[in-house]
């Protein structure tokens, strides 16, 4: 299912749900876009309120579908933003309010729901539970009609405060992200995709490629605060001519990049502030494209990459182990093909976008009664 297509798995009720998001639109949060598009297609989306405007130069083309539904809130307290939402919704029917992230969006959603006299709930992702004090998160969870967690790692953070989340993984568009024959040209094409921030571990990847003793090229897709630092690291370590920084790309651009890649590296780490990935989009996208994927065994990455079955796992932060894994795959085209085939099957069985968004809609449809 493409981001502009609706889920047709089952009919839904007539629930009308207002959604509170954080910054909008964000290129790195295609999962939010997919679920909001599904709500819209099902006729369940009353409005989207962003607690702030995202500072991005590019956005997914499908985000324009929601432009008429998105309203940007003035900066302010939870109470101020909630009052603005209620004023904006005057005269509209709303059956529930859903916060997309556990921090400010969930707090605003709860206050709006209280003022409107309807249920509220929230979705939780990688970092946002750690932005809320445990006692406050527990209180918020007790009041919620539903809590949706996108992976087992974040679900565990919620259970630690006594919450009972429902696990709904982010899905991947199996039509747009699909296998494509790869033609060997004697050089191993490496690909990494993600924001250029510490938790993505791209510095570890640059240390790893220095150890490779075959012909390779690395493309890094993404933008972020570490761009200049990573470019300098590549240049100073003598691999600058073989590392290309492509900048941010939309989902429309990514499939062709995966199709050119022999190996996709996801070298995530836990950063100095304790931040870490959940299950990055790149893992599922690369697996759906039938790529051979190497990921760090951190957070929820192992829920998709099963070592030596659907990809390879290495210890986070271990550049030597990452280089060894890349070298093994580079030398064995049959292994790459086998892992890629199994990876595609895993995404079809567990992470198809249509099935995941259908489950998300059914949960909200049942919760906001």
């Amino acid at each position: 299912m493409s981001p502009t297509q609706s889920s047709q798995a089952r009919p839904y009720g007539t629930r009308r749900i207002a959604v509170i998001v954080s910054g909008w639109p964000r290129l790195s949060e295609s999962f939010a876009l997919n679920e909001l598009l599904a709500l819209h297609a099902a006729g369940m989306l009353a409005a989207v309120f962003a607690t702030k405007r995202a500072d991005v130069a590019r956005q997914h083309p499908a985000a324009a579908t929601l432009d008429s539904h998105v309203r940007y809130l003035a900066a302010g307290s939870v109470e101020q933003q909630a009052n603005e939402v209620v004023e904006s919704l005057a005269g509209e029917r709303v059956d529930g309010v859903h916060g997309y992230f556990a921090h400010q969006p969930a707090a605003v959603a709860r206050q709006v729901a209280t003022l409107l006299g309807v249920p509220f709930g929230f979705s939780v992702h990688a970092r946002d539970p750690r932005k809320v004090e445990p006692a406050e998160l527990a209180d918020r969870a007790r009041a919620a009609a539903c809590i949706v967690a996108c992976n087992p790692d974040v679900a565990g953070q919620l259970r630690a405060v006594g919450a009972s989340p429902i696990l709904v993984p982010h899905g991947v568009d199996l039509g747009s992200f699909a296998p494509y024959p790869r033609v060997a040209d004697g050089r191993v094409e490496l690909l990494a995709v993600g924001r250029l921030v510490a938790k993505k571990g791209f510095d570890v990847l640059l240390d790893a490629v220095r150890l490779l003793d075959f012909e390779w090229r690395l493309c890094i897709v993404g933008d972020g605060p570490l761009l200049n630092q990573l470019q300098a690291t590549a240049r100073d370590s003598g691999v600058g001519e073989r590392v290309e920084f492509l900048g941010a790309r939309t989902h429309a651009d990514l499939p062709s990049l995966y199709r050119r890649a022999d190996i996709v590296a996801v070298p995530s780490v836990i950063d100095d502030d304790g931040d870490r990935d959940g299950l990055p989009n790149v893992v599922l996208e690369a697996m759906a494209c039938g790529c051979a994927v190497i990921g760090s065994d951190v957070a929820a990455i192992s829920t998709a990459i099963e070592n030596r079955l659907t990809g390879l796992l290495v210890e986070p932060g271990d550049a030597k182990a990452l280089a060894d894994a890349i070298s093994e795959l580079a030398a064995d085209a049959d292994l790459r093909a086998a892992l890629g085939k199994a990876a595609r099957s895993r995404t079809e069985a567990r992470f198809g976008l249509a099935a995941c968004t259908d489950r998300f809609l059914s949960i909200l449809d049942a919760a906001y009664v």
Side-chain angles (χ1 to χ4, degrees), residues 17 36 42 51-52 59 63 82 88 94 96 118 136 140 143 148 181 194 225 230 246 255 295 317 327 334 354 367-368:
I17 300 169
L36 291 177
T51 60
K52 57 187 175 182
Q59 67 178 47
S88 180
V94 175
V118 299
E136 183 179 352
R140 197 166 293 166
V148 179
L230 292 170
L246 297 181
S327 296
D334 290 340
Y368 297 126

Side-chain angles (χ1 to χ4, degrees), residues 263 294 312 314 320-330:
I263 301 168
I294 303 170
L312 298 184
V314 298
K320 177 63 165 56
L322 179 57
D324 289 344
I326 293 172
S327 296
E328 179 181 2
L329 290 184

Side-chain angles (χ1 to χ4, degrees), residues 190 204-214 263 265 267 294 312 314-315 318-331:
L190 309 175
V204 179
L205 178 58
L206 291 176
D207 287 341
V209 295
R210 293 173 55 196
L211 306 175
L212 303 179
D213 61 0
F214 52 85
I263 301 168
I294 303 170
L312 298 184
V314 298
E315 285 299 308
D318 190 335
K320 177 63 165 56
L322 179 57
D324 289 344
I326 293 172
S327 296
E328 179 181 2
L329 290 184

Side-chain angles (χ1 to χ4, degrees), residues 147-216:
I147 306 170
V148 179
C150 67
N151 64 68
D153 182 64
V154 76
Q157 297 175 49
L158 288 162
R159 293 190 188 100
V161 299
S164 299
I166 303 170
L167 184 61
V168 182
H170 298 151
V172 60
D173 183 341
L174 297 173
S176 296
F177 294 92
Y180 192 82
R182 288 168 176 76
V183 179
D185 65 357
R187 179 175 65 183
V188 175
E189 299 287 344
L190 309 175
L191 176 66
V193 181
R195 293 187 63 236
L196 305 185
V197 294
K199 69 178 180 179
K200 296 299 182 180
F202 292 147
D203 56 336
V204 179
L205 178 58
L206 291 176
D207 287 341
V209 295
R210 293 173 55 196
L211 306 175
L212 303 179
D213 61 0
F214 52 85
E215 187 66 22
W216 58 269

